[in-house]
Amino acid sequence: MSESPTIPTTPTAGGAPASEPVVPAFSVLNGRDVLALLDGRERETIDRVARAYLAHEAGDTVNPDSYFLRFPQKPEARIIALPAYLGGDVEIAGLKWIASFPGNVASGLPRASAVLVLNDFATGYPVALMEAGSVSAARTAASAALAATTLGGGNPRSVGVVGGGVIARTICRYLAAAGVPLTEVRCHDLDADSATALADHLRERYGSEAAPAGLAEALDCDLVVLATTAAKPYVPADTRLRPGQLVLNISLRDLAPEILFEVDNVFDDVEHCMKADTSPHLAEQLSGGREFVTGTLAGVINGTVTLDPGRATVFSPFGLGVLDLAVGHDLYRRAREEGLLVELPEFFGETRRWPSSV
């Protein structure tokens, strides 16, 4: 059953509603409350992401291509629209509108900012607008932690993190919550201060033996997290990943495409990943086919995809809008229960199809 609000009507014998239709309230949820609702619920968020992946694999979602708004004068920046529908026991539609402006980092601002709109599936009415930079980071980190525990085949002795931003920090939090040990962590970033800040954070929060490291040292770890803003591959084609090694290819464009021909390649959605010059997209163009594709994470979870233990595994998630809906819907539901929503009762200008005077 859907937990989203609907517009109740009572039909008459002639088919017209006999009572006044009720327009659902439109509400806002601010970023401070989003963070509070997410805090300490990492395992629940991972579970919701897993269920969303399985619903997507079963065809119980609608997840169109993301739309990229780019700017000639700012080629590094973009704003992305991710519309989606998530069925099952959720039944919610919506849109994440997320900006990625790497230039923000130099002034101390986070690279990404976002909002999430939720639409009632029964009526189509928007029912909520929430700050979604934290939602996006949480669903990305939950996806990474799910992949680490599903594909890792055991606890890694070492973790290499390439990229020292908000996403990397959040992924580490979710890895720890999922039981992945952060005992030995090697942090690499082109900005040495970012790598040092991440290492300091991991030592203070998790007691990790964390330290800044070179790229080769980070890539040699049992579990590698790629969380950069790279626009094109920089990890060279002659890099060889060893059997049992797991690479979470979160930023999607770090690896030379040739590397993917020698590993098991697992995706969140194959079609979505084969675009926008991601490493898998470049591999498809280079090889002329998709023989390098192993399957999806949901396929591994439900047992229809088997990994080769003699190979490394690379998980490449394009990032599905249905994951934002899964996390956002739960936040909306709990915010209603806890009285955290700010309702705007007169948000919709017209609440009747015909005015009563007509």
Side-chain angles (χ1 to χ4, degrees):
M1 295 292 292
S2 170
E3 297 180 31
S4 53
T6 58
I7 301 178
T9 57
T10 304
T12 63
S19 60
E20 186 80 9
V22 179
V23 173
F26 182 81
S27 303
V28 175
L29 183 61
N30 67 47
R32 179 195 61 213
D33 290 333
V34 167
L35 283 170
L37 289 167
L38 287 169
D39 188 40
R41 294 181 177 265
E42 290 84 2
R43 285 182 175 271
E44 293 177 33
T45 302
I46 294 169
D47 180 63
R48 291 192 178 278
V49 164
R51 284 189 278 164
Y53 274 143
L54 291 172
H56 184 65
E57 188 86 351
D60 203 7
T61 66
V62 181
N63 203 106
D65 287 347
S66 304
Y67 183 83
F68 288 70
L69 175 62
R70 299 186 183 275
F71 313 94
Q73 67 274 40
K74 283 190 173 185
E76 78 288 354
R78 61 190 185 273
I79 308 179
I80 312 170
L82 289 83
Y85 161 75
L86 177 59
D89 61 350
V90 178
E91 284 204 330
I92 197 78
L95 172 77
K96 182 174 74 173
W97 181 237
I98 181 166
S100 175
F101 278 54
N104 288 350
V105 175
S107 59
L109 290 174
R111 170 188 59 85
S113 58
V115 294
L116 177 65
V117 179
L118 298 180
N119 293 73
D120 170 47
F121 184 57
T123 65
Y125 271 81
V127 294
L129 174 74
M130 67 180 67
E131 190 279 325
S134 301
V135 173
S136 189
R139 65 83 150 148
T140 300
S143 170
L146 177 65
T149 54
T150 303
L151 309 175
N155 292 331
R157 292 167 298 177
S158 58
V159 178
V161 183
V162 181
V166 172
I167 295 297
R169 185 177 74 238
T170 309
I171 288 174
C172 287
R173 185 172 95 240
Y174 276 74
L175 288 174
V180 177
L182 299 178
T183 306
E184 180 183 335
V185 186
R186 298 294 171 253
C187 307
H188 176 75
D189 196 293
L190 291 177
D191 177 14
D193 290 341
S194 293
T196 299
L198 178 60
D200 290 346
H201 169 76
L202 295 176
R203 284 197 305 271
E204 293 169 6
R205 180 156 184 173
Y206 306 107
S208 304
E209 183 187 324
L215 177 61
E217 188 179 357
L219 292 175
D220 191 46
C221 291
D222 295 337
L223 173 62
V224 178
V225 178
L226 301 176
T228 74
T229 58
K232 59 184 180 181
Y234 59 87
V235 178
D238 60 359
T239 301
R240 291 293 176 264
L241 301 175
R242 63 179 183 274
Q245 200 173 12
L246 173 61
V247 177
L248 303 179
N249 185 27
I250 306 303
S251 38
L252 287 175
R253 296 173 179 84
D254 306 68
L255 302 173
E258 293 87 349
I259 296 173
L260 302 187
F261 300 145
E262 306 297 329
V263 304
D264 277 339
N265 289 282
V266 179
F267 302 83
D268 56 354
D269 182 289
V270 176
E271 290 297 331
H272 279 74
C273 285
M274 299 299 177
K275 59 174 66 71
D277 291 333
T278 64
S279 295
H281 186 205
L282 297 178
E284 180 187 36
Q285 294 174 326
L286 184 62
S287 66
R290 297 184 178 180
E291 291 78 10
F292 62 93
V293 172
T294 305
T296 63
L297 180 58
V300 177
I301 293 172
N302 64 29
T304 60
V305 174
T306 303
L307 302 179
D308 182 351
R311 293 185 134 200
T313 301
V314 174
F315 174 57
S316 298
F318 195 80
L320 302 177
V322 293
L323 304 186
D324 299 287
L325 293 185
V327 176
H329 176 265
D330 180 60
L331 294 174
Y332 172 66
R333 177 185 61 81
R334 290 195 289 116
R336 287 178 65 194
E337 293 173 354
E338 297 181 25
L340 297 176
L341 295 176
V342 178
E343 290 195 358
L344 305 178
E346 297 182 358
F347 182 80
F348 297 106
E350 291 193 42
T351 58
R352 290 179 57 87
R353 186 165 181 263
W354 293 104
S356 57
S357 60
V358 174

